[in-house]
Amino acid sequence: MPIQKLRAFCTFAVVAASIVLVACNKEESVVQATVLTEVDVSNPISAVVDIWDEYTGRFEAVNFVEIKARVSGYLDEIKFEDGQNVKAGDILFVIDQRPFEIELQSAQSKLDITEKEYKRGIELKTNNSISQEEFDRRASEYQLAKAAYAKAKLDLEFTEVKSPIDGVVSRDLVNIGNLVTGGASGSTLLTTVVSVDPIHFYFDAGERDLLKYLRLAQSDTRKSSRTYPNEVKVRLQDETNFSHFGVMDFVDNRVDNSTGTIQGRAIFENKDGFILPGLFGRISLIETKNTKVILVPDAIIGTEQSRKYITVIDGNNKVGRKYVTVGKLHTQVLRIIESGITAEDKIIVNGFVRTRPGATVSPNIVDISKQYDI
């Protein structure tokens, strides 16, 4: 074949191939343009649930006692092991009793003498053989001796320092042989005892929550925790579920001026003594029961500046946004929606990040109410 014809043929082949390639690209673009984004669509969950409020607080002992001596003396015995359980009336410490035994014997001797003189005085007074003044003196000395004896006996009892409550004792803060100071002031702290069952939980609620509870009580929707043991549940810091159950038993009588909060208290059983005073926890307090709500997965709620929205589709499968007022988390993944959508709306629960408002999508209908334990 001549060179010119060969060049012409090659040029024709190149042009023909370009035309075919352009035609294929156009056809592929048309096909791609008709492919719609697939998304999972569901109605929101409509449910009747109990609504709870959550607060952080701390456990405290129902009873806490500082064990101090009532009389002074040298510590003679320690009759407990550090950290052991004790009962009310158990002897914890013994102060040297010898000086108090001597004092009691002396008081007993004086009491015996004055008692005899007083009884003799009664006989003499009957026979008018003693003056009224002498009789009154003997009666007074007898009464003073009785009081001195009672005090000496009581001081001897106080040498045995006992636990006034059931609970767990701390360590001994004073060793044997040390001088212990007793009395109403400046007395020596020997140890402490805390009760463990039941146990209190204290927490603070804000003024807005307080007003909410007052309004609910005013409308008979929820009873006040001042007069009714509303349900509560608590989880510890290493727990994910609220597994400890109790009731409210106290609400303070005023709002703190410096913090704008009011203190509440709940009480829990603690038979195994697992929960210790001082532990932090998270408390959940019943707000309302059997409340009809709309729930959606928290992960599908978007944010536009300060507004929250949920991506939805209309009857023509076009993507849109509905701005909502969000409530509290009902579970770890479901959030209450207070307003903005209804149970009939179709919300995109999967694939919404690949969509844009106004676009048409291919919906795959699912039922998210079957995916979550409400």
Side-chain angles (χ1 to χ4, degrees):
M1 180 181 293
I3 294 177
Q4 292 181 348
K5 290 183 178 182
L6 180 62
R7 287 178 177 175
F9 177 78
C10 291
T11 301
F12 174 77
V14 171
V15 172
S18 299
I19 293 172
V20 172
L21 181 61
V22 170
C24 290
N25 287 338
K26 288 183 178 181
E27 184 178 354
E28 183 178 357
S29 298
V30 173
V31 172
Q32 288 180 350
T34 60
V35 175
L36 300 178
T37 302
E38 292 187 359
V39 294
D40 291 339
V41 174
S42 173
N43 293 117
I45 300 173
S46 180
V48 177
V49 301
D50 296 337
I51 300 178
W52 301 77
D53 292 327
E54 293 186 17
Y55 306 95
T56 298
R58 186 191 293 269
F59 287 97
E60 296 291 347
V62 173
N63 292 309
F64 169 80
V65 180
E66 292 184 336
I67 305 298
K68 297 183 178 182
R70 297 188 181 186
V71 294
S72 299
Y74 286 92
L75 191 60
D76 202 30
E77 291 183 74
I78 298 173
K79 302 180 74 68
F80 67 91
E81 296 293 331
D82 294 349
Q84 80 171 60
N85 291 320
V86 296
K87 296 290 186 181
D90 285 353
I91 299 173
L92 304 179
F93 299 91
V94 178
I95 296 170
D96 188 0
Q97 296 180 327
R98 292 172 296 178
F100 300 94
E101 290 172 345
I102 295 171
E103 186 67 27
L104 181 61
Q105 291 173 1
S106 176
Q108 178 69 67
S109 177
K110 189 169 184 179
L111 176 61
D112 292 342
I113 294 173
T114 56
E115 184 179 13
K116 290 178 181 179
E117 290 183 351
Y118 173 65
K119 290 181 178 179
R120 177 61 177 161
I122 294 176
E123 296 176 0
L124 295 173
K125 185 69 170 62
T126 304
N127 299 326
N128 291 323
S129 300
I130 188 174
S131 66
Q132 183 65 42
E133 182 180 0
E134 177 62 19
F135 177 77
D136 291 343
R137 183 188 65 79
R138 292 187 182 190
S140 176
E141 288 182 352
Y142 174 56
Q143 293 299 325
L144 290 174
K146 283 177 63 176
Y149 174 79
K151 182 179 183 304
K153 185 178 180 181
L154 193 61
D155 286 346
L156 180 60
E157 291 179 4
F158 286 160
T159 60
E160 294 181 340
V161 183
K162 301 176 182 179
S163 174
I165 62 170
D166 295 348
V168 178
V169 66
S170 181
R171 65 182 180 88
D172 59 281
L173 302 177
V174 179
N175 302 130
I176 293 174
N178 283 287
L179 179 62
V180 172
T181 301
S185 62
S187 54
T188 304
L189 177 63
L190 302 177
T191 189
T192 59
V193 179
V194 295
S195 63
V196 293
D197 181 36
I199 192 166
H200 277 148
F201 186 89
Y202 287 88
F203 64 95
D204 293 324
E207 186 175 335
R208 185 182 296 273
D209 286 344
L210 172 62
L211 291 172
K212 176 182 67 178
Y213 297 139
L214 292 175
R215 301 291 185 193
L216 290 172
Q218 192 176 49
S219 63
D220 291 330
T221 304
R222 173 189 181 273
K223 294 182 179 179
S224 171
S225 293
R226 280 200 176 94
T227 58
Y228 182 79
N230 283 308
E231 300 172 47
V232 292
K233 49 189 178 180
V234 158
R235 64 177 175 86
L236 303 179
Q237 285 191 328
D238 64 341
E239 297 174 337
T240 56
N241 297 320
F242 291 88
S243 55
H244 309 276
F245 300 92
V247 294
M248 290 291 295
D249 73 336
F250 168 75
V251 177
D252 210 346
N253 59 358
R254 68 182 187 89
V255 175
D256 189 289
N257 293 333
S258 59
T259 63
T261 60
I262 191 168
Q263 188 177 73
R265 186 183 72 194
I267 191 166
F268 295 84
E269 287 188 355
N270 189 32
K271 293 187 182 301
D272 58 359
F274 179 78
I275 302 174
L276 297 179
L279 286 177
F280 278 98
R282 186 78 176 165
I283 192 170
S284 188
L285 168 63
I286 189 70
E287 178 187 319
T288 54
K289 287 189 172 184
N290 301 323
T291 304
K292 189 173 182 179
V293 296
I294 298 294
L295 300 169
V296 301
D298 192 46
I300 74 168
I301 301 175
T303 302
E304 183 183 89
Q305 295 181 349
S306 62
R307 297 190 296 176
K308 300 290 185 180
Y309 68 86
I310 293 176
T311 306
V312 300
I313 62 170
D314 61 15
N316 297 320
N317 295 334
K318 285 189 175 182
V319 177
R321 289 179 177 178
K322 285 199 170 183
Y323 294 95
V324 295
T325 302
V326 298
K328 62 191 63 175
L329 276 173
H330 179 63
T331 67
Q332 293 182 351
V333 293
L334 293 177
R335 185 174 290 276
I336 296 173
I337 301 300
E338 296 180 350
S339 64
I341 60 172
T342 67
E344 288 72 36
D345 284 319
K346 291 182 172 58
I347 61 174
I348 300 178
V349 295
N350 187 24
F352 57 89
V353 294
R354 302 192 304 271
T355 65
R356 57 181 178 81
T360 303
V361 295
S362 175
N364 174 36
I365 305 300
V366 298
D367 186 1
I368 61 173
S369 65
K370 299 179 179 179
Q371 302 176 13
Y372 302 101
D373 183 18
I374 302 175

